Amino acid sequence: MKKPAFIVLLLTVFAVTNYALAQSVKKLPPVGMLDLEFTLQIEKGNQLAINNTWDYTHTIASLQGIVNRTTPQLYIFLVKNGSADIDRYWWNKYRAPGKWLAKRDTILYKNVVDVISAYKKQIKGAVVYDPNVQATSNVASSIAGVEDLIVVRYDTNPNSLYSQIITSGPKLPVKISLVNKDGSSLFTGKGIIPGTTRVSSGSAKNDAYLWFLEKYMKTGRVNTKYGAYYIDQQWLKNPFLANPNHHTLTNHDFFISRKGFFFDLSPWADESATDDPAQTPGTDVNTLKEMLLTAYNQNKGGYAYLGGFPPWAFKYTKHAKGTHEDVATEWEYSRIISAYNAFKDADAIGYGALANASFWQHFPLKKEYKQDWVTKAELTKKGYLNAAGKIDYKGRNFLIFYVGDYDASSWVSQTTPTLWDDPNRGKVPMMWCISPVLAERVPMAMDYRRESATPNDYFAAADNGAGYLMPGMLQAPRPLSGLPDGLDAWVAHNKPYYKQWGLTITGFIIDGQAPPLNQKGLDAYAAFSPNGIVPQKVPLTLLHGDMPVMRSDADVNEDPAKAAQIIYDRIQKRKIPFHWFRNILKSPSWYVQVVAELKKLDPNIELLTAPDFFELYRTYLKENPEAAQGKMR
């Protein structure tokens, strides 16, 4: 019996579509895989092993940035968080049947030289950098993305990677050298900066960056929408000041793939950089400002995405014989970049290492991840509003936790198996505050958290929206940079991220050393965060238009019993029945225990979901004009 023509047509289309899909899968190259976890086993005193750890990781990260730019095809295993093998965790999750990587073929390479040989045709050669001028390692990473060159540290030791791949093995051509042919330094901090007409800054470190600025940034060859603040090769002098993966070289690949620029510069104007004590004080920060201004001009006032964080354990703080504290250094850096329309994805020490972002950047996200907001009827049904629509307190104090800090791709990636996968997640309400801009580098982690969320998991934005900056520094006048007001551009940057991720709350705003939000600043946040913000420098309570505003309160990170006591004592002193506390990298089990301890102290303290809390708080402000007008202190 003949099939009807339309059925034949449908079957034909179906067959052709499946064939096309099958062909597209076949066209993808195998995923090359390399295990670099052995580099975490370095020992004090073994400088060759330390050098190899740096060289292997740096070179492979640069290779990843190039070959993964358009297609995910090279993956490494390196980052660990305690017993959690982070890179295997993510690979295994999406290697499962039906997942993104299920049908990809793989090739396991035995060593670094084999990987470089395998991908030799996809690169144009090498950029070699100077072991005696630390900054050239970052300059090399900047060049790598622009020129499609892998980075190699100059080292003629017969066991060095340079000897294995430049003078022997695949014998890659050196296309650009940041060291003279005889091995002497190209950048000396004297005379005229080589290849330019620019007078030396007096610092070899800064001259290297200024050379790159003149040759690459100012000539428009760099994608200045992306920058990266990671420690340079001074790490080699003392790699044991932080976790063994905190060379953060694995973080380079994404920014190389985007053809971004790298730097490691002190933000302080009142002292010489601790890694370059002979420089005139403020030389580093002047170079940083010039790079940021160049990016601002080329981005036409748009925002630059800066990965990384001040390497405070190694440089620029009291840890390194500087005069400034860690948080002060963090805030000064934030203050400066904000003045030039740049924000950070804050890969801070502790959980700062991230690998394979150039690979995962291709993960297919949904167009939108919607979240429902609570209605008045639902609040009434839950017993929070009475029949007249007024808050029915019943002697209760209402509580919300800022579940953070998730303003860094590395922190979200590393804490998913250790914190998110806690079996107690879902037992109490948790407002997970995650910057939506992290979807640039860890889209798989963002998607997985949404896919596996319980009804008690609600998402808000981390500090300070789609990226960490100090919004008061966006407001005109901007004396630090002299640039026009940046708030409209900040709204335009945030809106698409908030829409895609269903966000309407900004769980915390770090004002730091910046001015407080003015009326236009508050208007800006109301445009993309209409259901609430929690800054540092505002009145205790405020209703701005229809947006509830609450001043941030205490950080609470102690053991559960002590944390509960702190919260209880603080609630007794506060003038309002709504309370916000910030917690950093605490597990769902911790929250369950804190809530249990609070119930012992006062059963009328109630932890709410984020929608319930902020909608009730908005109602409270409307019922109390003094609170709404910001008159409570």
Side-chain angles (χ1 to χ4, degrees):
M1 179 176 166
K2 282 192 173 183
K3 295 181 176 69
F6 77 93
I7 293 179
V8 172
L9 179 61
L10 285 174
L11 290 173
T12 302
V13 170
F14 181 74
V16 169
T17 302
N18 276 326
Y19 176 78
L21 287 171
Q23 290 300 105
S24 67
V25 170
K26 287 180 181 178
K27 286 179 183 177
L28 288 174
V31 176
M33 310 189 82
L34 178 65
D35 191 337
L36 286 175
E37 289 181 358
F38 71 92
T39 64
L40 302 175
Q41 308 305 315
I42 53 175
E43 297 178 356
K44 289 185 177 180
N46 189 344
Q47 195 59 46
L48 177 61
I50 292 170
N51 289 350
N52 285 341
T53 288
W54 175 275
D55 291 344
Y56 294 162
T57 311
H58 196 191
T59 298
I60 289 297
S62 65
L63 180 63
Q64 280 190 294
I66 297 166
V67 304
N68 288 341
R69 180 175 289 142
T70 58
T71 305
Q73 55 181 318
L74 179 56
Y75 195 91
I76 67 171
F77 301 106
L78 188 142
V79 178
K80 288 188 173 183
N81 177 1
S83 62
D85 194 321
I86 303 303
D87 300 313
R88 282 187 168 80
Y89 171 89
W90 289 114
W91 175 264
N92 292 338
K93 186 172 294 297
Y94 289 101
R95 185 65 166 166
K99 295 296 186 179
W100 183 48
L101 300 169
K103 296 183 178 180
R104 289 291 297 274
D105 290 335
T106 60
I107 298 175
L108 182 61
Y109 291 101
K110 294 181 179 180
N111 57 60
V112 170
V113 176
D114 286 351
V115 174
I116 294 168
S117 299
Y119 291 95
K120 184 178 178 181
K121 292 183 179 179
Q122 297 188 42
I123 59 176
K124 296 177 181 177
V127 50
V128 172
Y129 60 94
D130 184 354
N132 296 313
V133 179
Q134 316 304 338
T136 59
S137 62
N138 271 337
V139 173
S141 283
S142 303
I143 292 170
V146 177
E147 304 279 10
D148 290 345
L149 304 173
I150 62 171
V151 301
V152 185
R153 186 178 62 89
Y154 181 80
D155 183 355
T156 57
N157 183 302
N159 295 316
S160 71
L161 182 61
Y162 177 89
S163 296
Q164 293 178 62
I165 65 173
I166 300 296
T167 59
S168 61
K171 291 189 176 180
L172 294 178
V174 176
K175 296 292 187 178
I176 296 176
S177 181
L178 302 177
V179 60
N180 290 319
K181 288 183 178 181
D182 64 357
S184 62
S185 293
L186 180 66
F187 303 106
T188 62
K190 298 177 182 178
I192 301 297
I193 297 174
T196 76
T197 58
R198 185 162 180 164
V199 175
S200 169
S201 65
S203 158
K205 171 187 180 180
N206 282 270
D207 283 359
Y209 287 119
L210 294 173
W211 175 88
F212 177 77
L213 184 68
E214 296 293 333
K215 291 284 190 177
Y216 284 87
M217 291 188 73
K218 290 184 177 180
T219 56
R221 303 182 66 191
V222 179
N223 179 5
T224 49
K225 291 181 180 178
Y226 293 91
Y229 187 6
Y230 295 111
I231 189 169
D232 61 25
Q233 60 188 312
Q234 184 171 323
W235 178 89
L236 289 163
K237 295 182 178 180
N238 193 346
F240 304 100
L241 294 173
N243 296 342
N245 58 25
H246 270 69
H247 44 63
T248 52
L249 292 168
T250 52
N251 304 50
H252 286 218
D253 68 318
F254 172 85
F255 297 98
I256 290 173
S257 80
R258 298 295 176 98
K259 302 184 180 183
F261 60 100
F262 289 75
F263 58 92
D264 172 5
L265 294 160
S266 171
W268 293 111
D270 61 354
E271 65 179 2
S272 300
T274 61
D275 63 338
D276 190 23
Q279 70 173 229
T280 301
T283 302
D284 265 30
V285 75
N286 289 337
T287 299
L288 174 60
K289 288 177 180 178
E290 189 173 353
M291 296 179 90
L292 293 171
L293 181 60
T294 301
Y296 175 90
N297 289 332
Q298 291 187 358
N299 297 333
K300 299 179 180 178
Y303 278 80
Y305 179 133
L306 305 180
F309 202 81
W312 54 263
F314 299 89
K315 299 182 179 186
Y316 315 139
T317 68
K318 288 184 176 180
H319 294 277
K321 299 182 180 179
T323 61
H324 297 282
E325 299 289 350
D326 304 345
V327 173
T329 302
E330 169 191 345
W331 283 6
E332 182 65 7
Y333 172 63
S334 300
R335 189 177 76 94
I336 292 167
I337 65 173
S338 303
Y340 292 90
N341 287 19
F343 62 84
K344 59 185 167 185
D345 177 345
D347 297 333
I349 287 174
Y351 302 91
L354 177 72
N356 302 304
S358 63
F359 185 95
W360 290 111
Q361 69 180 320
H362 300 288
F363 180 87
L365 289 171
K366 296 176 184 176
K367 186 176 180 180
E368 284 192 50
Y369 295 81
K370 295 182 178 180
Q371 294 190 106
D372 293 329
W373 194 251
V374 69
T375 66
K376 298 289 187 183
E378 289 169 333
L379 288 174
T380 303
K381 186 176 180 180
K382 293 177 181 181
Y384 296 125
L385 299 179
N386 61 27
K390 302 284 187 179
I391 298 176
D392 190 1
Y393 293 102
K394 297 187 178 73
R396 293 176 289 188
N397 275 283
F398 300 117
L399 174 66
I400 192 78
F401 288 121
Y402 174 84
V403 181
D405 273 354
Y406 298 107
D407 55 7
S409 293
S410 59
W411 286 39
V412 167
S413 175
Q414 287 201 40
T415 61
T416 301
T418 59
L419 298 181
W420 178 262
D421 287 349
D422 185 319
N424 282 315
R425 182 171 53 81
K427 292 184 178 179
V428 297
M430 294 178 67
M431 180 177 71
W432 296 88
C433 295
I434 303 173
S435 172
V437 82
L438 308 187
E440 295 264 351
R441 289 202 289 159
V442 289
M444 74 296 183
M446 301 283 281
D447 181 85
Y448 169 63
R449 290 193 180 211
R450 291 304 181 93
E451 179 187 70
S452 57
T454 73
N456 265 334
D457 297 313
Y458 194 86
F459 297 92
D463 54 290
N464 288 320
Y468 174 6
L469 51 62
M470 291 180 175
M473 296 302 294
L474 310 181
Q475 301 167 166
R478 303 170 81 180
L480 185 62
S481 64
L483 296 175
D485 191 283
L487 288 168
D488 291 341
W490 183 238
V491 172
H493 166 74
N494 276 272
K495 275 188 171 180
Y497 286 107
Y498 274 61
K499 184 176 188 297
Q500 182 179 16
W501 294 98
L503 303 174
T504 58
I505 300 166
T506 304
F508 184 33
I509 292 176
I510 298 177
D511 294 311
Q513 299 303 317
L517 289 168
N518 59 23
Q519 289 300 301
K520 187 175 180 182
L522 291 168
D523 287 345
Y525 273 90
F528 58 83
S529 185
N531 284 326
I533 62 172
V534 187
Q536 295 175 309
K537 295 181 178 180
V538 289
L540 178 62
T541 61
L542 180 67
L543 186 64
H544 183 78
D546 199 46
M547 178 180 68
V549 181
M550 176 181 287
R551 187 173 66 220
S552 62
D553 205 79
D555 288 3
V556 182
N557 296 294
E558 288 74 11
D559 69 78
K562 188 174 181 181
Q565 188 66 54
I566 292 170
I567 292 166
Y568 172 80
D569 292 342
R570 183 69 186 131
I571 285 175
Q572 308 315 304
K573 297 175 183 177
R574 283 169 60 84
K575 300 176 182 178
I576 60 173
F578 292 87
H579 312 278
W580 174 102
F581 297 95
R582 174 177 176 240
N583 322 108
I584 302 172
L585 298 184
K586 293 301 179 185
S587 69
S589 293
W590 183 88
Y591 289 97
V592 169
Q593 294 172 53
V594 170
V595 170
E597 294 292 336
L598 276 171
K599 289 299 180 186
K600 295 177 187 177
L601 297 170
D602 184 351
N604 289 321
I605 297 174
E606 187 169 342
L607 177 63
L608 300 182
T609 66
D612 288 358
F613 181 90
F614 281 96
E615 190 57 44
L616 283 175
Y617 177 55
R618 185 183 352 241
T619 304
Y620 164 81
L621 294 171
K622 291 179 177 180
E623 292 176 0
N624 295 273
E626 186 181 52
Q629 293 167 17
K631 294 180 179 180
M632 298 184 70
R633 299 292 170 179

